[in-house]
Amino acid sequence: MAEAFVYDAVRTPRGKGKKDGSLVEASPTDLSVHVLKSVRDRNSLDTTLVDDVVFGVVEPIGDQGGNVARTAAIAAGYDETVGGMQVNRFCSSGLEACNIASARVMSGQSDFVIGGGVECMSRLEIGDSGMPLAADPILSLPNYFVPQGIAADLVANKYGYSRDDLDSYAVESQKRAKTAWDEGRFEKSVVPVTDENGVMMLDHDELLRPETDMQSLAALQPSFVMLGEFGGMASVAQQRYPEIEKLDYRHHAGNSSGIVDGAAAVLIGSKEGGEKAGLKPRARIKAFATIGSEPTIMLTGPGEATFRVLERSGMSADDIDLWELNEAFASVVLRYMDQLDIPHDRINVNGGAIAMGHPLGATGAMILGTLIDELERQDLETGLATLCIGSGMGIATIVERVH
């Protein structure tokens, strides 16, 4: 089997996913074109060498529909032979797109494929494209389906993470993200977004709240009480987990991922493709895995996906130098750290989605790029990127630096 290498990884800054966000005037195609052009131009890439563009998109309707990957490849001026495909594995879609790209290269069917993703959450809300598992009682009731926020609180209750535990993690995420930006750790990957006249729209992650402390978080009201108590979702969760006598609501806007706009692209290719293009690889895709997990608690899949990919690779957690887990909710990361016995100073060292936001279709590709950047910065060798996934799934990808 051929090897797949990462040659470059770029992302936009994350803009607030609200009507006052700095990227609200940039369409999903605009942001996708921006990262595709950046990959091409900074690598002097002959796009006839690229077979496909695979982009994650979680709400694939409206101007995020109609195969935004192919649309963006055309609009970016890529050769007409470059195809495009959009994929949806919920929050892990960006990393899934990179894994698909890697599989194409590993199978020997492609020299270069660009993986990545886009999500403009200022334009489309979660669930706009529909979700029968949530909306159809014939499907939802027998499977004890609950929304992700309820699942996050269920994780906190079941595994004993207090509101202070969650808030403490969130404060640290903000501190780490500020340090990363202050020290220029994202300069290699973040490509500022300008409008068609060259006027700067955004050059930093807009959601950061570095002033966050335990006192300010304590003033926030839990976000999912209405869903749980008046929407009946707490009782559904308790039917599946009767050991939880009363669900205590512990997540809020400050210890959950932020709603943002953004896009990312990762150039993945073979050794031969890199030689043709005159490019030096930065990292090798060693292995990846996806797994289904219990759909009510939903958010514990990263642990199971990680155990699977480590086993397949003949590795243990001790072999991983750095970890990136999407900060969908604080309880997700705390549970994962306990499952794998990961020290806090080796995971999400530059902060995460609690501080900087979670552009659903793009986040997986973003954290893969962040992981490779940080391996290089710290002169470390091996990293693992993982995300929890709606309806109960997990994904994990192992990368190794190439010197």
Side-chain angles (χ1 to χ4, degrees):
M1 186 172 65
E3 293 183 310
F5 297 91
V6 175
Y7 286 91
D8 200 10
V10 302
R11 71 170 178 92
T12 67
R14 299 170 174 99
K16 290 180 182 178
K18 303 291 184 182
K19 297 307 178 186
D20 62 346
S22 294
L23 296 181
V24 69
E25 296 299 326
S27 72
T29 298
D30 292 336
L31 296 183
S32 300
V33 166
H34 183 60
V35 292
L36 288 180
K37 283 183 174 181
S38 298
V39 164
R40 179 194 63 198
D41 296 347
R42 61 197 244 157
N43 293 287
S44 301
L45 180 65
D46 176 1
T47 60
T48 63
L49 299 175
V50 179
D51 287 320
D52 213 350
V53 174
V54 185
F55 264 26
V57 184
V58 174
E59 300 298 338
I61 58 172
D63 55 7
Q64 283 189 176
N67 195 350
V68 69
R70 172 61 172 164
T71 302
I74 293 170
Y78 274 46
D79 191 83
E80 65 182 17
T81 59
V82 181
M85 175 174 69
Q86 62 185 39
V87 299
N88 181 8
R89 198 188 286 275
F90 298 144
C91 295
S92 73
S93 297
L95 187 57
E96 183 63 65
C98 292
N99 289 350
I100 291 171
S102 300
R104 290 273 297 276
V105 172
M106 289 173 171
S107 68
Q109 303 306 304
S110 296
D111 277 334
F112 280 109
V113 179
I114 294 175
V118 65
E119 206 79 33
C120 288
M121 300 180 76
S122 60
R123 296 179 177 228
L124 292 165
E125 295 185 1
I126 296 172
D128 275 356
S129 61
M131 187 177 177
L133 183 58
D136 184 348
I138 294 176
L139 297 171
S140 62
L141 291 177
N143 292 292
Y144 304 105
F145 179 86
V146 298
Q148 283 195 17
I150 299 298
D153 281 332
L154 184 58
V155 172
N157 280 255
K158 181 173 175 59
Y159 296 106
Y161 305 119
S162 68
R163 165 87 180 241
D164 281 351
D165 292 334
L166 306 179
D167 287 356
S168 178
Y169 181 87
V171 169
E172 182 63 18
S173 179
Q174 295 283 352
K175 288 180 179 178
R176 291 182 179 194
K178 182 180 188 305
T179 298
W181 271 103
D182 288 348
E183 295 184 358
R185 298 183 191 177
F186 297 131
E187 287 180 356
K188 184 179 291 186
S189 295
V190 173
V191 285
V193 179
T194 58
D195 66 14
E196 59 186 10
N197 297 312
V199 176
M200 181 64 65
M201 297 178 73
L202 188 64
D203 63 357
H204 63 280
D205 289 324
E206 191 173 25
L207 202 68
L208 283 173
R209 302 176 300 279
E211 72 283 355
T212 299
D213 56 24
M214 293 294 287
Q215 290 71 33
S216 62
L217 293 186
L220 298 177
Q221 295 298 310
S223 295
F224 306 110
V225 175
M226 290 292 290
L227 274 175
E229 297 301 313
F230 302 103
M233 293 295 103
S235 63
V236 174
Q238 288 166 296
Q239 289 178 54
R240 179 62 181 80
Y241 291 92
E243 66 269 28
I244 307 299
E245 294 183 3
K246 179 174 174 54
L247 192 67
D248 184 32
Y249 302 94
R250 300 170 186 173
H251 285 88
H252 50 75
N255 58 28
S256 307
S257 56
I259 295 171
V260 291
D261 300 335
V266 181
L267 179 62
I268 296 170
S270 64
K271 179 181 179 182
E272 293 76 13
E275 290 171 350
K276 288 179 189 176
L279 299 177
K280 183 178 183 296
R282 296 175 59 192
R284 176 187 298 104
I285 302 291
K286 182 174 177 64
F288 46 84
T290 54
I291 195 167
S293 62
E294 198 284 300
T296 304
I297 205 164
M298 189 184 307
L299 306 175
T300 56
E304 298 308 312
T306 297
F307 291 133
R308 176 170 288 187
V309 77
L310 289 173
E311 181 180 5
R312 284 181 175 174
S313 305
M315 301 173 70
S316 72
D318 292 337
D319 296 318
I320 304 299
D321 297 315
L322 282 177
W323 308 76
E324 281 285 330
L325 168 59
N326 181 40
E327 293 176 351
F329 301 92
S331 64
V332 173
V333 188
L334 295 180
R335 174 58 184 157
Y336 186 75
M337 289 166 63
D338 284 347
Q339 281 183 288
L340 277 296
D341 194 23
I342 301 170
H344 198 176
D345 62 1
R346 289 172 54 199
I347 188 168
N348 296 352
V349 298
N350 293 315
I354 288 173
M356 295 177 285
H358 175 22
L360 305 177
T363 303
M366 287 184 171
I367 69 171
L368 182 63
T370 296
L371 180 62
I372 293 170
D373 285 349
E374 190 62 18
L375 287 171
E376 292 173 345
R377 190 185 75 84
Q378 292 195 38
D379 194 22
L380 298 172
E381 299 302 316
T382 305
L384 187 147
T386 180
L387 299 92
C388 60
I389 308 172
S391 76
M393 292 182 282
I395 189 170
T397 301
I398 299 174
V399 296
E400 296 177 330
R401 273 185 65 203
V402 175
H403 295 277

